[in-house]
Amino acid sequence: MNLFRLDASILPTVSCSAEIADRVEAEWAAAHPRGAVNRRHLGTDPLPADAWALATIGAGTDEADRTPEQVRALALAAELAAELQEADAVVLAVPLYNFGVSQHFKAWADLVIAGAGATTPLLKDTPTVLATTLGGGYGPGTPREGWDHSTPYLERVVGDIWQADLTLIKRELTLAATTPGMESLKDLAQQEHDRALVSASEAGRALAAR
């Protein structure tokens, strides 16, 4: 068995999304002690910013005319697509930054699409847990309702394009404990934290059972 885990936090030692993914991974590993975990951390080891453009242009260039940079970018895109497609189970830990998807995740997703094709269902029926964390509150009735431009994108790519068997764990208010003006939300934030970890344990067990 092979679990692919991807992290996108720029603060790995205090990452809220990683905490959720850790719980999922622990449940999976307990059920598959001989299983392999293939990790990629985009926050600490980001992909080259120009790789997607090089791979995309290189794909439309005759092989003999490709530059060395285009060849390397195409090889990277193929590698990323393959490691995702070969997984038996997947955990993605992706925080929201500046109201949108992490640039590190976007660069990775673009390269995966370049390597596999825009409509290839890389994760068709593959059990996948998406852990996403948000510093504020974006639910119905909140001042920033509708400002979460990350989660819908993640679900569209992972669930609709790649056709994963997707479980979403979404934790909001991660900044309540440390941000002035959010003191009144600390109790609610703690509830969000506890709920997310319970959901992570349940999702990890379900992931392992598939």
Side-chain angles (χ1 to χ4, degrees):
M1 296 293 289
N2 172 21
L3 174 70
F4 174 72
R5 172 171 170 175
L6 179 136
D7 288 87
S9 173
I10 61 172
L11 301 169
T13 60
V14 293
S15 170
C16 297
S17 58
E19 182 184 22
I20 298 171
D22 286 345
R23 183 71 64 92
V24 175
E25 181 185 331
E27 294 287 353
W28 184 90
H32 300 287
R34 296 184 179 180
V37 180
N38 181 19
R39 306 177 191 279
R40 184 171 288 277
H41 203 303
L42 302 175
T44 59
D45 189 17
L47 298 168
D50 60 351
W52 173 73
L54 288 166
T56 301
I57 295 170
T61 302
D62 289 339
E63 187 172 351
D65 296 328
R66 290 171 184 165
T67 67
E69 292 79 10
Q70 290 170 345
V71 171
R72 287 194 292 270
L74 284 166
L76 175 60
E79 175 189 349
L80 298 176
E83 69 183 7
L84 189 61
Q85 190 167 32
E86 292 167 2
D88 298 306
V90 175
V91 180
L92 307 172
V94 189
L96 172 144
Y97 289 135
N98 299 321
F99 312 113
V101 69
S102 156
Q103 66 166 332
H104 304 98
F105 183 92
K106 183 64 165 60
W108 173 79
D110 285 342
L111 273 169
V112 169
I113 290 171
T119 61
T120 301
L122 282 174
L123 292 176
K124 186 172 178 60
D125 300 328
T126 301
T128 301
V129 177
L130 169 61
T132 188
T133 50
L134 303 85
Y138 298 86
T142 63
R144 285 185 169 163
E145 177 183 357
W147 284 49
D148 173 10
H149 302 292
S150 175
T151 307
Y153 167 84
L154 295 170
E155 291 181 297
R156 187 71 67 202
V157 172
V158 180
D160 294 341
I161 296 177
W162 294 341
Q163 296 184 23
D165 181 0
L166 184 61
T167 298
L168 173 68
I169 302 175
K170 183 178 180 179
R171 176 189 165 194
E172 297 193 353
L173 301 174
T174 62
L175 294 177
T178 58
T179 302
M182 296 183 72
E183 292 85 358
S184 64
L185 298 171
K186 285 184 179 180
D187 289 344
L188 184 57
Q190 186 62 49
Q191 293 174 25
E192 280 279 300
H193 173 259
D194 296 344
R195 178 197 57 76
L197 291 187
V198 169
S199 296
S201 294
E202 293 173 347
R205 288 192 291 270
L207 199 70
R210 291 289 301 275

